[in-house]
Amino acid sequence: MHCPFCRHPDSRVVDSRTADDGGSIRRRRQCPNCQRRFSTLETSSLQVVKRSGVVEPFSRDKVVGGLRKASQGRPVSDDDLARLAQQVEETIRASGSSQVEAHDVGTAILDPLRALDEVAYLRYASVYSAYDSLEDFETAIAGLRADRARRESEAGSEEGAGSDAEASPGAGPDDDGSADRVEASSASDA
Ligand SMILES: [Zn+2]
C-alpha cells in the first residue's frame, strides 16, 4: 500500500501484532522514502448483504446487540453473548465466501441461541422470522420440545449443534397454510 504521506508505493513493516482477539492484525509500517510511520489493520473481509440490498461489513457487535435485546432479563451473561457472536462469525466464515446474506447471519444465530436460552431464542426468532400468529409460536415451541426430547434421549452421546444447518423448525418465510395444501393434494390413493 502507498505511503499516506508521500504516496511512495512501498513500505517496510516494523512491527505487527494481532488485535481483536486474533481477528485482525495491526502492522506498524515505515515509509523508506519519507521515513514516516503509519499503521494498517488487516482483517479478512466479510460483508453482509441486507435485505434492502445494502452491503455492510459483518459486525460482531451488532450480533451481540440483537442478542442482548432478545435475552433481556434472562440468565445470559455478556460472556455468553460474546461467545455466541464469535461462534456465529466462525460459522459464517466457514462457508468460505466473503459475502453472505443477512438471512444467513440470522440462521447462524438461531441455532446456537436455541441451545443457550429457549426464551431468548423464541424472542429472537419471532422478530427475525416475522412471526405474526400464535400458530407461529406454537410451531416454534413444538420444535423446541422436540429438540429437548431428542437431547434427553440421546443423553450425552453427541455434542449437539452439529455442523450442518438443519436449523429450521419454523424458518420458512412463507408459513401459513402451505402444509394444508400439500396434505390435500396427496390424499388420492388406490
Ligand atoms: Zn512516505
Side-chain angles (χ1 to χ4, degrees):
M1 107 172 238
H2 291 233
C3 166
F5 304 106
C6 73
R7 312 291 300 163
H8 187 75
D10 204 8
S11 61
R12 190 169 62 87
V13 175
V14 291
D15 182 43
S16 62
R17 58 187 61 185
T18 58
D20 184 30
D21 258 357
S24 55
I25 292 179
R26 186 179 299 280
R27 293 192 206 282
R28 196 83 184 123
R29 294 171 179 272
Q30 183 169 33
C31 172
N33 183 45
C34 70
Q35 307 302 323
R36 295 172 89 169
R37 293 188 170 199
F38 57 96
S39 296
T40 55
L41 189 65
E42 190 178 306
T43 52
S44 74
S45 139
L46 183 58
Q47 306 283 327
V48 177
V49 186
K50 294 167 61 168
R51 221 168 286 191
S52 60
V54 174
V55 178
E56 59 180 31
F58 173 83
S59 158
R60 226 190 266 184
D61 286 347
K62 225 172 221 185
V63 171
V64 169
L67 287 169
R68 187 168 285 135
K69 254 186 243 168
S71 51
Q72 247 169 37
R74 300 296 303 163
V76 173
S77 69
D78 281 355
D79 277 357
D80 290 333
L81 298 185
R83 216 173 303 128
L84 203 154
Q86 184 179 345
Q87 200 177 335
V88 167
E89 181 171 348
E90 282 165 8
T91 302
I92 296 170
R93 286 194 187 276
S95 75
S97 84
S98 62
Q99 201 172 73
V100 295
E101 311 264 325
H103 179 84
D104 298 329
V105 179
T107 305
I109 287 171
L110 283 176
D111 226 14
L113 182 57
R114 188 168 47 186
L116 180 65
D117 187 275
E118 292 171 340
V119 172
Y121 164 79
L122 273 180
R123 287 179 185 153
Y124 191 92
S126 71
V127 175
Y128 164 72
S129 306
Y131 291 5
D132 60 3
S133 69
L134 285 178
E135 285 72 23
D136 289 341
F137 280 92
E138 281 169 352
T139 306
I141 289 168
L144 286 171
R145 289 225 167 92
D147 275 1
R148 201 186 279 179
R150 199 181 317 138
R151 229 178 297 136
E152 278 162 11
S153 73
E154 282 174 2
S157 63
E158 266 170 59
E159 298 206 0
S163 53
D164 57 356
E166 46 123 51
S168 48
D174 55 340
D175 300 327
D176 218 19
S178 52
D180 300 356
R181 256 168 262 139
V182 174
E183 265 173 30
S185 63
S186 66
S188 62
D189 199 29

